[in-house]
Amino acid sequence: SGLKSWESLCHLYLSPSLSLSLSLSNIYIYIYSYKKYHALFLWFLFPEKENQRKMEITKLPEECISQIISLTSPRDASRSALVCALFRSAMDSDLVWRKFLPHDYHQILSNSSLQPSLMDSLSMKQLFFHLSHHPVLVDDGNMSFAIEKNSGKKCYMMGARRLTIIWGSSPQYWHWISLPASSRFSEVAELRHVWWFEMKGRIETNILSPQTTYAVYFVYKLRRHRYRFHEKPVTVQVNFEGDEEIHGEGYGRREVLLGPPKNKIKNMQQLCGAYRGDGWMEVELGEFFNDGGENHGVLILNLMEINAAVKYGIIVEGIELRPKAGG
């Protein structure tokens, strides 16, 4: 009675971020809109007062608070639980975490390695954090799917079996092995020796999160006994199918060094692979923006080193696509 409709008020802001203000007598909630560049706070009108007043947060319906939190981000939602028990309960709501999951999450998981009984037993919040820490296999086990914990956006890794590896089916050059202790995939590719080192991946962008800048990473291990990868850069390329016809051959190419260099070179940290913390290394191949429009494209990812020298001592897990921070 006398309160503005909280539903219409909540939906005024498309991508707000939650910020909190604490005082001795009251706890108030504010909504900050980055797009509009000014603070907008939630307040209610009381008919008996001429002036607009902020309402004590403890008098708001819990569902109202859940609606508001669902308009922020997973990171801000988790922080809001520190305010009070009411916020903690509102933040745990399935209403909040269902909004943070990708809209097609159920379709993705129905064809994944995640057990249906496990999915049914988890709350939306538990499912969100399970997927942010435990990638699940899709595409007959040749790709993995996860979500980025701060944004809820999709992450995919194409396993080595989903890549086109030159001479990959020739046992004298490449050996397919199992590393269950460290790899999410049933098989990874180990290079025995080869002169022509090249692999390519393709992925349709309509399965990715829209309006998102993605970074592309090559994920691998280096054997103790290896040759050429610590001294010879690999040519990499990330572009959309058809880009070279428009921009010319070689569009988007760059060089990276997979192994640590023998001698320190200025700014070499920008070119070298780095350890991920899970026993694998990664190096960024490039980035791209996925607008998510109707005219989705096919992304082409390529690594190549074909100089006349033998190369060996690398294990390939795959190529990963992850949203960039703030993208």
Side-chain angles (χ1 to χ4, degrees):
S1 61
L3 299 183
K4 282 189 173 181
S5 168
W6 61 265
E7 289 185 347
S8 60
L9 197 57
C10 288
H11 289 290
L12 283 175
Y13 315 116
L14 296 179
S15 5
S17 181
L18 190 66
S19 62
L20 302 171
S21 175
L22 304 180
S23 68
L24 292 176
S25 57
N26 296 297
I27 302 176
Y28 302 118
I29 180 172
Y30 293 79
I31 300 297
Y32 184 86
S33 170
Y34 290 112
K35 291 184 177 179
K36 296 182 180 179
Y37 298 100
H38 65 273
L40 299 168
F41 53 83
L42 182 64
W43 56 350
F44 296 84
L45 297 178
F46 291 83
E48 70 275 15
K49 297 291 184 181
E50 293 182 0
N51 297 327
Q52 296 168 319
R53 304 193 322 177
K54 298 171 189 172
M55 182 182 181
E56 292 183 21
I57 198 67
T58 53
K59 293 182 180 179
L60 287 174
E62 183 175 317
E63 187 180 357
C64 173
I65 299 174
S66 295
Q67 284 279 1
I68 296 168
I69 294 174
S70 74
L71 297 174
T72 64
S73 69
R75 185 175 185 177
D76 285 334
S78 298
R79 289 174 172 176
S80 72
L82 301 175
V83 175
C84 62
L86 178 60
F87 262 57
R88 190 158 52 249
S89 177
M91 184 273 296
D92 283 336
S93 168
D94 278 355
L95 183 155
V96 172
W97 295 94
R98 188 178 290 110
K99 291 277 188 73
F100 294 152
L101 287 165
H103 70 92
D104 56 348
Y105 79 91
H106 198 277
Q107 179 183 350
I108 296 171
L109 297 182
S110 64
N111 296 301
S112 75
S113 59
L114 185 67
Q115 294 294 327
S117 58
L118 176 60
M119 183 169 63
D120 294 339
S121 67
L122 298 177
S123 68
M124 292 294 101
K125 179 184 175 183
Q126 290 170 331
L127 180 61
F128 181 95
F129 284 105
H130 181 85
L131 293 175
S132 66
H133 292 94
H134 306 284
V136 296
L137 297 181
V138 295
D139 190 33
D140 296 324
N142 293 319
M143 289 180 64
S144 71
F145 165 78
I147 54 177
E148 201 279 318
K149 65 179 181 179
N150 290 322
S151 65
K153 294 184 177 182
K154 300 176 183 177
C155 308
Y156 281 97
M157 183 187 288
M158 294 181 286
R161 276 293 186 190
R162 201 176 187 275
L163 305 177
T164 300
I165 301 177
I166 302 300
W167 305 112
S169 58
S170 301
Q172 65 267 39
Y173 300 122
W174 287 90
H175 180 48
W176 291 91
I177 61 175
S178 176
L179 296 177
S182 61
S183 178
R184 65 190 69 179
F185 300 107
S186 61
E187 288 183 309
V188 293
E190 181 179 19
L191 176 61
R192 288 183 165 178
H193 70 275
V194 74
W195 282 264
W196 191 293
F197 177 81
E198 184 178 5
M199 60 189 65
K200 182 179 292 187
R202 295 166 54 92
I203 187 169
E204 294 195 11
T205 58
N206 63 333
I207 70 171
L208 304 174
S209 295
Q211 297 298 305
T212 301
T213 299
Y214 276 89
V216 181
Y217 299 90
F218 178 54
V219 183
Y220 60 98
K221 288 176 184 280
L222 291 174
R223 291 293 196 188
R224 178 177 299 179
H225 301 291
R226 56 184 181 265
Y227 186 64
R228 297 294 286 180
F229 293 112
H230 63 283
E231 60 185 21
K232 186 65 179 176
V234 174
T235 301
V236 301
Q237 191 174 21
V238 176
N239 56 24
F240 289 97
E241 193 172 53
D243 275 355
E244 286 193 320
E245 297 176 7
I246 300 174
H247 302 285
E249 187 176 356
Y251 176 75
R253 287 183 186 172
R254 57 184 291 197
E255 290 188 337
V256 300
L257 198 62
L258 299 184
K262 286 185 175 180
N263 301 310
K264 292 185 177 180
I265 302 175
K266 187 177 181 180
N267 294 329
M268 183 55 74
Q269 68 271 14
Q270 298 177 1
L271 305 173
C272 292
Y275 289 98
R276 291 160 51 98
D278 60 357
W280 295 88
M281 298 180 69
E282 69 178 19
V283 64
E284 184 175 329
L285 307 183
E287 64 179 57
F288 66 97
F289 179 73
N290 182 41
D291 62 13
E294 293 181 359
N295 297 322
H296 68 273
V298 177
L299 194 71
I300 307 296
L301 321 163
N302 193 49
L303 296 88
M304 181 171 59
E305 207 292 297
I306 57 175
N307 289 330
V310 68
K311 292 163 278 290
Y312 57 82
I314 191 171
I315 301 173
V316 178
E317 183 173 43
I319 296 178
E320 187 172 34
L321 293 84
R322 299 199 304 265
K324 296 202 74 171

